[in-house]
Amino acid sequence: MSTTIATPDADETCAYCDSRIFDHDPICVRDCDDDCGSPAYFCNYACLSAHIDENDLTTGDACEWNPDKGGCR
């Protein structure tokens, strides 16, 4: 799977709070489980974290670990 790396426009806004991303510490996120669609830009980790929490994006995405059995199941 390959992706193209490109710098977003100077006026690109945060997918969460609509602030200009380059006024902060920008993060680019791409969902490569779904055909590596268009990237989403967040102005900082706080907005990315809030977006993840509000959309329950971690629900069901972790394995259950058992120290006696090892590995994920």
Side-chain angles (χ1 to χ4, degrees):
M1 147 185 14
S2 66
T3 58
T4 302
I5 298 172
T7 302
D9 294 334
D11 291 328
E12 184 73 41
T13 57
C14 177
Y16 181 75
C17 74
D18 293 325
S19 293
R20 289 172 26 124
I21 63 170
F22 289 117
D23 288 347
H24 305 281
D25 190 17
I27 302 159
C28 174
V29 178
R30 193 176 286 239
D31 182 1
C32 283
D33 285 338
D34 191 19
D35 298 326
C36 282
S38 298
Y41 299 101
F42 295 88
C43 63
N44 58 45
Y45 283 101
C47 283
L48 173 59
S49 179
H51 172 77
I52 290 168
D53 289 345
E54 287 182 11
N55 291 284
D56 293 325
L57 297 177
T58 58
T59 302
D61 285 344
C63 63
E64 182 179 328
W65 180 75
N66 184 324
D68 296 327
K69 295 180 182 177
C72 292
R73 43 178 196 121

